[in-house]
Amino acid sequence: MRRRAALSLPPSLLLLLCSASSAAIEPISTSIAVGMAAALTGFLASYQNIIYYFHECCRPEWIAFNRTGLQEDLSTRLFGQHLASHIIAKAVSGFMNNANPKKPLVLSLHGWTGTGKNFASALIAESIYKEGMDSQFVHVFTAELHFPHAGQMDAYKTQLQQWIKGNVSSCDRSMFIFDEMDKMHPGLIDSIKPYLDYYDKVDGVSYRKAIFIFLSNAGGESIVQTTLDFWKAGRSREEIELKDVETSLALSVFNNKRSGLWHTSLIDKNLVDFFVPFLPLEYKHVVQCAMAAMSAQGLEPDAAVADKVAADLLYFPKAERVFSVKGCKTIDSKWEYYV
């Protein structure tokens, strides 16, 4: 996404202008405030919208849901995931079009590596924020980076609560993505349960318009098994419905000590709105990923190159080579080798 050129204005002015609808500003003296107001009156009368254009704020100029764009991206750019695409499109559209949601939207995305969980999260961000994943209102937490030490759990819980509260206080339309949930320490996510529940406000802050997305490899085995069962029965993967995987997926995640959601009250209290299964990718989907990778580099997609890339990956069952072991995980780093 092309970034807008920065407008050369004092940071204090930008913060003051944006704070009318989003972030709170630090206290300033009355005399300074009056002086600034007098000096800016003429400028703001004619050019206030210019500021909103050049500096990201928690306003409709920067946060506006594109339902059609999300649906199109999910159907044309997220390969082999008819079920996840349908669930995400319905869940996000319903939530964003609700002016007064009862709780935050909580999605838990599950599947083996390389199946598109991170990419789907990016598509959601792009459909809501003009800056997409680069938006200051999109926050990504990675287990091994942000919460590496099991002995510091109490500190992590406090920091996580403060971080989420501070960001939602600044913008109620904040998005929080928790990657590598299967590496998250059990119990950590329970510390933010009050923010995901059906409360109007928690300590004076409303979290009902925020979005929380959990990404995890946990539960992938049950998803793979269901997909294999359909394949062995001669049924198309497109016939798989949410009811075929949802219950076993939720139980698998809840009972997996390495899921990050092990015995968590989020599941026990039904605070996760949707468990979204990402199916293992087939050979043809890997080819599509390679073609898309070439196109993203501004090159004419070459089907022969894409086929070579796909052919060299590992698949299972071993004899039939139906499903890719790593999905499209390594495609971006491999396709140039075959050019």
Side-chain angles (χ1 to χ4, degrees), residues 221-240:
E221 292 79 6
S222 66
I223 298 171
V224 168
Q225 187 59 55
T226 298
T227 311
L228 273 172
D229 290 343
F230 269 70
W231 174 73
K232 290 177 180 178
R235 301 175 64 184
S236 168
R237 65 190 286 124
E238 283 72 24
E239 294 182 54
I240 300 175

Side-chain angles (χ1 to χ4, degrees), residues 54-334:
F54 283 97
H55 181 75
E56 187 183 22
C57 300
C58 187
R59 292 173 53 89
E61 289 90 344
W62 294 92
I63 303 176
F65 179 55
N66 183 349
R67 177 178 181 175
T68 302
L70 177 60
Q71 291 176 330
E72 181 177 350
D73 283 343
L74 289 170
S75 63
T76 61
R77 299 173 63 192
L78 185 64
F79 305 124
Q81 302 299 350
H82 74 284
L83 188 53
S85 295
H86 177 74
I87 297 170
I88 291 172
K90 289 287 187 181
V92 176
S93 296
F95 179 76
M96 292 300 298
N97 290 328
N98 185 351
N100 188 32
K102 300 300 182 182
K103 65 180 290 295
L105 176 63
V106 182
L107 302 176
S108 195
L109 280 49
H110 297 267
W112 275 10
T113 183
T115 52
K117 301 184 297 295
N118 288 91
F119 186 58
S121 301
L123 294 181
I124 295 173
E126 290 175 9
S127 73
I128 299 173
Y129 307 92
K130 279 192 175 182
E131 295 292 282
M133 289 296 291
D134 292 328
S135 172
Q136 63 177 311
F137 307 121
V138 176
H139 313 282
V140 181
F141 300 92
T142 303
E144 293 186 330
L145 177 62
H146 296 99
F147 317 108
H149 305 297
Q152 298 182 18
M153 279 289 292
D154 290 340
Y156 290 152
K157 290 180 179 180
T158 300
Q159 292 168 2
L160 184 57
Q161 291 171 338
Q162 293 175 343
W163 183 254
I164 292 176
K165 180 178 180 180
N167 282 292
V168 176
S169 297
S170 296
C171 183
D172 56 357
R173 283 295 187 189
S174 292
M175 178 184 291
F176 302 92
I177 301 173
F178 293 83
D179 198 4
E180 299 182 347
M181 279 292 293
D182 46 300
K183 299 177 183 178
M184 198 80 70
H185 300 294
L188 178 59
I189 289 299
D190 263 344
S191 67
I192 63 171
K193 174 188 172 294
Y195 307 152
L196 311 184
D197 215 328
Y198 292 83
Y199 297 124
D200 288 340
K201 291 184 178 181
V202 178
D203 292 334
V205 178
S206 174
Y207 297 86
R208 292 181 299 163
K209 292 185 177 181
I211 296 178
F212 293 81
I213 302 177
F214 304 131
L215 312 180
S216 178
N217 293 341
E221 292 79 6
S222 66
I223 298 171
V224 168
Q225 187 59 55
T226 298
T227 311
L228 273 172
D229 290 343
F230 269 70
W231 174 73
K232 290 177 180 178
R235 301 175 64 184
S236 168
R237 65 190 286 124
E238 283 72 24
E239 294 182 54
I240 300 175
E241 300 179 8
L242 181 59
K243 65 182 181 180
D244 296 316
V245 294
E246 186 174 38
T247 300
S248 61
L249 175 57
L251 288 174
S252 175
V253 172
F254 184 76
N255 292 315
N256 187 338
K257 289 186 177 182
R258 294 186 58 82
S259 74
L261 292 171
W262 178 67
H263 286 189
T264 179
S265 59
L266 270 63
I267 296 178
D268 193 36
K269 300 297 183 182
N270 297 311
L271 298 182
V272 176
D273 296 297
F274 291 96
F275 289 94
V276 185
F278 280 70
L279 310 180
L281 298 182
E282 298 178 11
Y283 189 99
K284 62 182 178 181
H285 304 129
V286 177
V287 171
Q288 289 178 307
C289 289
M291 297 281 280
M294 286 182 270
S295 180
Q297 293 297 319
L299 302 176
E300 185 70 24
D302 188 324
V305 171
D307 192 63
K308 289 179 181 178
V309 175
D312 279 355
L313 298 184
L314 296 177
Y315 294 85
F316 69 95
K318 190 173 182 179
E320 293 84 357
R321 288 172 54 85
V322 179
F323 302 109
S324 172
V325 173
K326 294 185 178 180
C328 290
K329 185 72 172 181
T330 60
I331 294 301
D332 285 339
S333 62
K334 281 183 175 293

